[in-house]
Amino acid sequence: MSNFIVQFTSLCDELILIDLTNPEELHQVQAQVLEFTIPWETFPNQLKESLTSFFQILADFKTEADLIKLQDLGTLIRQQLSEINTQVASSSDKTNPFDFSLPTIDETRPINLEKILNQDSDLISAFVSEANEHLESIDLQMLIWEKNPTAKDTINDIFRPFHTIKGISSFLDLVDICDIAHALEDILSSVRNGQLHYSQALANVIFSGVDYLKSMVNQLEVLLGGGKPEPLIIPVRSFVIACRKALGQNTNELEQQLSGGTSVREKLLAAAMVEETNPILAPVVSKPAVSPEAGAEPIPQPTEQPTKQTTAPSLAEANEETDKSDNPYKSPAKATAKFMRVDTAKMDGLLDLVGELVISNNILQGCLNHLKIQDKRLLTELSQLRRVVNSLQHNALSLRMVPISNTFQKMQRIVRDVSGKLNKDIDLILEGEHTEVDRNIVDEIYEPLVHMVRNSCDHGIESKEARLRAGKTDTGTIKLSAGHKDGSIVITLQDNGQGIDPERIYNLAQQRGLIKEGTKLSNQEIFRLILAPGFSTAKTVTDVSGRGVGMDIVMKALEKLRGSLDIDSTLSQGSIFTLKFPLTLAIMEGMIVQVKNEQYIIPTINIRESLRPLPENCLTILGKGEMVKVRNQLIPLVRLHEYFKIEPQCLHPSEGIVVVVESDGRTYAVLVDHLAGKQEVVIKSLGEKFKSLKAIAGGAVLGDGRVGLILDIGQLVNSRLSDKG
Amino acid sequence: MENLGSATEQKLNISGKFLTFLLDKEEYGIEVLRIKEIVGLMDITPIPMSPNFVKGIINLRGKIIPVIDLRLKFELNAAAYDDKTCIVVTELSTNNTSFTMGLIVDTVCEVLTVTPDIVEKTPKFGNNFDPKFILGVAKVRNQIKTLLDINGILSQEELVVLDSLE
């Protein structure tokens, strides 16, 4: 019954959109009717009559007048159908229970998407980026739906992207992706029709389906990039069968094929028949005929229809909105019209050029000062040029800026999953989602955020009982906020959980040999200990965390972003993690230092201070390790000239300058000849050939046109450590 | 032309245009298609911990490219740079990725059109000189010009000596 309603509804929708000049389309619509399973016996006479005449007109379809008749009749029939449907629904139990169980079928065949590479790679990459967007929006909408299961709009918002993914993937012959998207679409379609209602189990099935799709799309992306992805094993068939079973549909054929029941020849025959009856469906289903794992004949599906214009609004909607313009499929087009997709390579090229322009402009201004030109006209024009270049740079940089909201919203999903696993109630509050961040940073920050959010859920927020005992509400709160501060981006993650116990950390660190007994540390320093690799406070390693790699990953990522992390915590009140990093990765502020004739750039973010030490403050330990005493703190000295094996100008620290740098929580003093100034530089890679030169992060064109080398302080310090160790 | 190849084994099927340049009084050639441009000597920023033939990096209109001294690379005598010294900017490729590199040569000479009939196989020297990256020897007006497989020579090269870290 409900199948028929959906079939009929979408048939009517297609009639609206049919192109009368194209007889092909008409044939397709007519052919669809042959697939209908019509439960005549349950219909009242009036409906039977209308249906018969509807099919009659459709079969003898000739002119536009017929079309209008059909549309009127279609609306009438749909009204009648929905009346019957609501009667049926109210008489029987309102909802079918959603019973989902994966059949135990051995599916170890890795997903193979490689054949896709024969196709137009532009199409595929467009699909990948689109699918990723859709999957993200599904995640987001699902979370909204979970909070408000009765919202009709939300279901439509979830349904729509699945539908698009199904459509494009079937067009591109991505059978596995198409099958899963299709199965989920069916489930959602039942939800729209009111046959299924929200349940945790249902949401979990959809989420796991989304995860399958994500990993397959991800695989596609790797393949497109020319890489070799890990073999991926996804129980596509079992998943599809389980979905269909849950919807009470026939799955015998699929199951038979899984166990290898039908012979290849029979399948080929079946496929050939399908091809005859429905030419558009054929590409989707004829493929499985060759690969024995997949279904050979389409099981009549409510939404399995030509991919181009299938709109299947639920019956309730059909009643409410007979107006065609209220089609839910239209809204995304409106939203995307304001944006333009641009290849990131082009964008990076533009930014590079703008960077060049800025440098050339600086050089030009430098020349002017050097030549002491006084011509008024020239100076005005040039200052005008400088203004234009500066605003051009500003604009170009903003092109790369994207709101951080996407990344933040992904955290909602993480919190949902993790809190479910841990059996905690956790609310995630997002603030400042519209803060704009460089695209590269957004990509880089995702992973560390995941780790931090997971940590907060696991270690920060207590179990429900513990919270109640501590006199808190049983629902924990995690607040994730973003904002700009002093030319940097600041992201804070705050929880109202148990906080970090400095004593416990201290003892643990001692046990693990991270600190020596009796070392005096401030609370801040103790908190930083949790960032050490392999340090985990979790008593047991769980699925969620406790392996001790998490915070280490966070630190690695931060270093890459030239960012910093602050931890503050009050016992039993909660913890605050503050991440700070620069607005953009392309431009960096650096201190130019000189060793003999060579100029090196030290990122200012690493620099604590620079000074010329007094001779009595330079000490050696055992005649080897050199130290500099800066305000009663002993700091190990690194001679840059020694490290890079170049001739220095000044040998003793008291003749040169020591730059005190910090990285990874360690402090070092770097000896250089003198400081040559501070400059904003555009960072350029030195290329593959110098990749193994770890202590140098890249090069930058300086004001005089020469290239300066940018020091990677973290690596410099680390390699020094390993040398000594 | 066809029977030339079979007439003597010494002839190689190499043809096309080659840019020739001088290194310590000897003339060498590189396929013109590999060459992007020729620039005069400019300020070179040395790279620490690199082998002696790597002179450093230059800023070529905003792009940073490594520069090597071909004399030192071929273990010829080092010479002071003068106003004839040039940087030949070449486009090399390794496994699908291409990169640009500058080669310091004494001076550039001409663009030579090479036909298979003037090229001979590299003679065997008997010492440990590796002729693998020499395409052949072109004979022109009583002179010989060594045609180099510049991609083969440089694409394998690691420009950082990690040993020097210790």
Side-chain angles (χ1 to χ4, degrees):
Chain A
M1 169 74 187
S2 58
N3 268 3
F4 174 69
I5 295 176
V6 179
Q7 281 173 334
F8 189 82
T9 313
S10 61
L11 179 74
C12 291
D13 285 336
E14 270 179 62
L15 276 176
I16 294 166
L17 297 158
I18 198 164
D19 176 9
L20 282 177
T21 55
N22 186 355
E24 266 302 276
E25 281 192 28
L26 183 60
H27 284 306
Q28 280 160 21
V29 176
Q30 284 167 341
Q32 272 179 35
V33 179
L34 301 177
E35 280 178 36
F36 282 13
T37 41
I38 307 169
W40 287 109
E41 63 283 355
T42 59
F43 289 167
N45 285 339
Q46 195 196 357
L47 179 59
K48 276 184 197 166
E49 275 168 34
S50 342
L51 264 179
T52 325
S53 55
F54 181 89
F55 289 135
Q56 195 64 44
I57 300 172
L58 183 66
D60 306 330
F61 194 101
K62 279 189 197 76
T63 62
E64 208 161 326
D66 287 338
L67 189 63
I68 295 161
K69 266 190 232 161
L70 276 179
Q71 282 170 2
D72 290 347
L73 210 48
T75 323
L76 183 71
I77 293 171
R78 272 154 70 169
Q79 267 171 21
Q80 288 171 346
L81 277 172
S82 80
E83 274 162 31
I84 298 171
N85 196 41
T86 40
Q87 278 164 21
V88 172
S90 56
S91 64
S92 68
D93 186 11
K94 233 185 162 183
T95 54
N96 304 345
F98 186 75
D99 178 23
F100 184 90
S101 57
L102 272 183
T104 49
I105 304 166
D106 184 31
E107 269 195 277
T108 46
R109 175 184 64 102
I111 299 290
N112 184 5
L113 298 164
E114 259 169 67
K115 61 178 191 304
I116 191 79
L117 293 176
N118 305 332
Q119 300 196 32
D120 186 352
S121 62
D122 282 353
L123 273 180
I124 310 281
S125 63
F127 169 70
V128 167
S129 67
E130 205 175 318
N132 274 330
E133 259 171 44
H134 284 314
L135 290 171
E136 266 167 38
S137 86
I138 290 171
D139 258 351
L140 178 64
Q141 296 297 336
M142 280 297 293
L143 294 162
I144 298 175
W145 185 46
E146 281 197 304
K147 293 219 170 86
N148 183 8
T150 51
K152 267 247 144 55
D153 290 355
T154 321
I155 290 296
N156 278 330
D157 287 341
I158 303 169
F159 181 84
R160 211 182 297 122
F162 273 126
H163 183 81
T164 319
I165 292 176
K166 186 199 77 172
I168 305 177
S169 60
S170 90
F171 166 66
L172 291 172
D173 211 5
L174 297 161
V175 184
D176 293 316
I177 295 181
C178 173
D179 283 353
I180 287 192
H182 188 156
L184 293 171
E185 195 190 0
D186 285 351
I187 292 181
L188 286 164
S189 151
S190 300
V191 176
R192 295 210 315 186
N193 293 339
Q195 288 164 310
L196 281 177
H197 276 233
Y198 170 78
S199 68
Q200 184 78 31
L202 179 67
N204 284 341
V205 168
I206 296 176
F207 273 129
S208 62
V210 169
D211 287 344
Y212 289 154
L213 289 175
K214 274 185 188 163
S215 46
M216 285 194 277
V217 171
N218 191 21
Q219 184 131 15
L220 268 184
E221 209 170 346
V222 175
L223 279 170
L224 271 179
K228 270 239 166 291
E230 299 274 303
L232 186 67
I233 294 170
I234 290 175
V236 175
R237 303 297 136 211
S238 335
F239 187 80
V240 171
I241 288 173
C243 288
R244 289 194 182 166
K245 272 201 174 141
L247 290 172
Q249 291 170 348
N250 183 7
T251 58
N252 288 346
E253 282 171 62
L254 264 174
E255 274 175 284
Q256 249 179 25
Q257 274 135 29
L258 257 180
S259 49
T262 26
S263 79
V264 175
R265 196 175 154 270
E266 273 172 303
K267 278 182 228 153
L268 281 171
L269 268 176
M273 276 166 61
V274 175
E275 234 151 339
E276 263 177 30
T277 51
N278 191 337
I280 286 234
L281 264 176
V284 189
V285 288
S286 66
K287 192 77 197 170
V290 223
S291 65
E293 300 95 328
E297 203 175 289
I299 294 157
Q301 283 296 315
T303 46
E304 187 158 85
Q305 263 152 24
T307 52
K308 46 170 184 65
Q309 281 290 0
T310 33
T311 51
S314 73
L315 274 172
E317 268 177 354
N319 279 341
E320 285 157 18
E321 21 175 86
T322 33
D323 186 1
K324 294 162 220 158
S325 64
D326 249 346
N327 190 326
Y329 286 75
K330 289 211 169 148
S331 52
K334 256 185 242 160
T336 50
K338 279 186 264 171
F339 294 99
M340 196 173 96
R341 277 173 201 276
V342 182
D343 189 349
T344 39
K346 279 187 191 169
M347 190 76 112
D348 290 344
L350 175 72
L351 278 175
D352 272 357
L353 285 177
V354 170
E356 285 325 312
L357 188 63
V358 172
I359 292 167
S360 308
N361 188 44
N362 285 345
I363 295 175
L364 188 65
Q365 309 283 350
C367 285
L368 274 187
N369 293 341
H370 187 70
L371 295 172
K372 298 196 175 65
I373 291 174
Q374 296 296 331
D375 188 301
K376 260 232 171 90
R377 175 88 197 278
L378 186 66
L379 290 177
T380 358
E381 294 299 328
L382 278 167
S383 74
Q384 172 68 12
L385 175 71
R386 190 174 53 213
R387 261 199 299 281
V388 174
V389 168
N390 282 347
S391 56
L392 180 65
Q393 181 190 21
H394 190 254
N395 269 331
L397 285 178
S398 75
L399 283 180
R400 289 173 69 103
M401 299 301 222
V402 290
I404 203 163
S405 53
N406 265 353
T407 312
F408 269 24
Q409 273 151 9
K410 285 188 202 155
M411 297 304 138
Q412 292 276 20
R413 170 80 196 273
I414 309 269
V415 170
R416 175 200 180 267
D417 288 0
V418 173
S419 59
K421 253 182 214 158
L422 296 167
N423 194 25
K424 294 176 181 175
D425 277 342
I426 301 174
D427 263 348
L428 178 67
I429 300 170
L430 300 180
E431 255 178 30
E433 299 153 83
H434 300 296
T435 306
E436 292 201 322
V437 185
D438 190 298
R439 164 111 226 163
N440 291 350
I441 295 183
V442 167
D443 293 344
E444 293 289 339
I445 202 182
Y446 172 68
E447 207 181 338
L449 266 188
V450 170
H451 284 288
M452 291 176 60
V453 168
R454 287 169 77 110
N455 271 336
S456 284
C457 292
D458 196 13
H459 308 309
I461 303 290
E462 315 90 324
S463 65
K464 281 181 203 170
E465 301 79 48
R467 286 188 70 86
L468 289 173
R469 248 183 283 129
K472 299 179 185 177
T473 50
D474 61 347
T475 309
T477 311
I478 296 178
K479 197 166 94 184
L480 191 58
S481 54
H484 290 276
K485 200 183 163 196
D486 309 331
S488 323
I489 290 154
V490 179
I491 294 183
T492 56
L493 179 73
Q494 186 175 7
D495 66 56
N496 65 354
Q498 57 195 354
I500 305 171
D501 183 355
E503 231 166 277
R504 194 162 145 241
I505 305 282
Y506 189 83
N507 291 338
L508 264 170
Q510 236 173 44
Q511 279 169 30
R512 306 221 168 140
L514 292 170
I515 46 168
K516 290 200 184 75
E517 239 184 286
T519 325
K520 274 205 175 147
L521 293 172
S522 69
N523 271 4
Q524 291 282 333
E525 283 170 311
I526 293 174
F527 294 147
R528 289 196 75 85
L529 288 173
I530 65 168
L531 306 175
F535 191 91
S536 176
T537 52
K539 287 183 185 97
T540 48
V541 171
T542 62
D543 210 15
V544 179
S545 62
R547 281 179 216 84
V549 277
M551 289 317 268
D552 188 29
I553 289 180
V554 173
M555 285 319 281
K556 284 256 157 60
L558 274 179
E559 197 152 295
K560 209 166 156 194
L561 293 170
R562 302 195 299 274
S564 64
L565 172 64
D566 275 335
I567 307 170
D568 199 9
S569 181
T570 319
L571 202 57
S572 79
Q573 302 264 315
S575 320
I576 304 175
F577 293 80
T578 310
L579 293 167
K580 209 169 164 189
F581 39 84
L583 281 171
T584 165
L585 291 181
I587 292 182
M588 184 197 73
E589 190 175 71
M591 181 76 80
I592 302 166
V593 299
Q594 210 153 358
V595 180
K596 191 89 185 259
N597 295 323
E598 298 319 319
Q599 295 187 321
Y600 297 95
I601 300 157
I602 300 179
T604 26
I605 189 143
N606 291 120
I607 300 181
R608 206 179 76 185
E609 60 190 309
S610 20
L611 59 126
R612 168 169 294 169
L614 296 169
E616 63 264 31
N617 283 344
C618 306
L619 317 156
T620 45
I621 293 171
L622 296 173
K624 270 184 175 175
E626 284 182 287
M627 306 288 259
V628 180
K629 202 157 124 193
V630 180
R631 274 184 255 108
N632 279 336
Q633 191 189 357
L634 279 176
I635 302 170
L637 181 78
V638 182
R639 286 165 180 263
L640 205 58
H641 61 91
E642 212 167 70
Y643 187 85
F644 283 147
K645 306 211 167 13
I646 41 178
E647 280 294 309
Q649 207 171 17
C650 34
L651 277 168
H652 198 270
S654 62
E655 293 161 13
I657 295 272
V658 270
V659 182
V660 181
V661 293
E662 278 177 325
S663 168
D664 236 354
R666 280 189 287 262
T667 312
Y668 275 83
V670 179
L671 172 66
V672 298
D673 287 352
H674 52 258
L675 302 179
K678 209 160 103 176
Q679 195 184 330
E680 299 239 305
V681 293
V682 179
I683 304 162
K684 302 204 175 220
S685 150
L686 295 188
E688 283 291 296
K689 286 286 164 188
F690 296 110
K691 203 173 52 189
S692 38
L693 195 59
K694 287 276 182 339
I696 288 177
V701 180
L702 297 176
D704 59 359
R706 283 192 55 167
V707 185
L709 297 175
I710 301 168
L711 300 183
D712 186 331
I713 293 295
Q715 294 286 354
L716 187 90
V717 167
N718 276 342
S719 64
R720 167 136 182 124
L721 276 184
S722 54
D723 278 0
K724 297 282 156 185
Chain B
M1 291 296 270
E2 287 153 18
N3 54 3
L4 266 175
S6 55
T8 158
E9 277 185 11
Q10 292 294 86
K11 299 279 183 277
L12 290 169
N13 196 19
I14 294 171
S15 58
K17 289 192 187 299
F18 280 73
L19 174 85
T20 67
F21 52 83
L22 274 184
L23 285 180
D24 206 7
K25 294 178 198 121
E26 286 167 23
E27 213 168 328
Y28 296 84
I30 305 177
E31 262 183 292
V32 161
L33 291 175
R34 291 249 172 238
I35 293 167
K36 285 184 82 176
E37 63 186 296
I38 300 163
V39 293
L41 204 61
M42 52 173 89
D43 255 341
I44 302 175
T45 302
I47 298 277
M49 290 180 273
S50 49
N52 72 328
F53 66 86
V54 176
K55 297 314 279 183
I57 48 179
I58 55 166
N59 163 27
L60 184 71
R61 288 190 307 281
K63 270 189 90 174
I64 291 182
I65 63 166
V67 175
I68 68 165
D69 187 327
L70 265 197
R71 264 187 187 242
L72 298 179
K73 171 68 196 156
F74 293 161
E75 291 170 12
L76 304 169
N77 296 325
Y81 299 150
D82 55 29
D83 53 356
K84 279 189 171 170
T85 310
C86 309
I87 300 176
V88 179
V89 182
T90 54
E91 178 108 4
L92 308 175
S93 55
T94 26
N95 335 309
N96 300 330
T97 57
S98 69
F99 62 96
T100 317
M101 193 184 269
L103 314 172
I104 298 180
V105 299
D106 290 1
T107 182
V108 286
C109 306
E110 59 172 336
V111 175
L112 180 70
T113 308
V114 174
T115 50
D117 55 313
I118 64 162
V119 184
E120 270 182 39
K121 225 179 186 172
T122 325
K124 290 210 162 47
F125 294 108
N127 56 12
N128 52 8
F129 186 78
D130 184 8
K132 192 164 63 179
F133 297 125
I134 299 181
L135 295 171
V137 179
K139 298 168 294 182
V140 187
R141 301 181 298 269
N142 296 332
Q143 281 182 319
I144 57 160
K145 293 162 198 230
T146 315
L147 306 182
L148 301 172
D149 169 18
I150 198 70
N151 201 41
I153 296 172
L154 297 173
S155 58
Q156 310 302 325
E157 203 66 55
E158 195 43 71
L159 297 187
V160 177
V161 186
L162 288 170
D163 303 352
S164 67
L165 273 175
E166 279 136 34

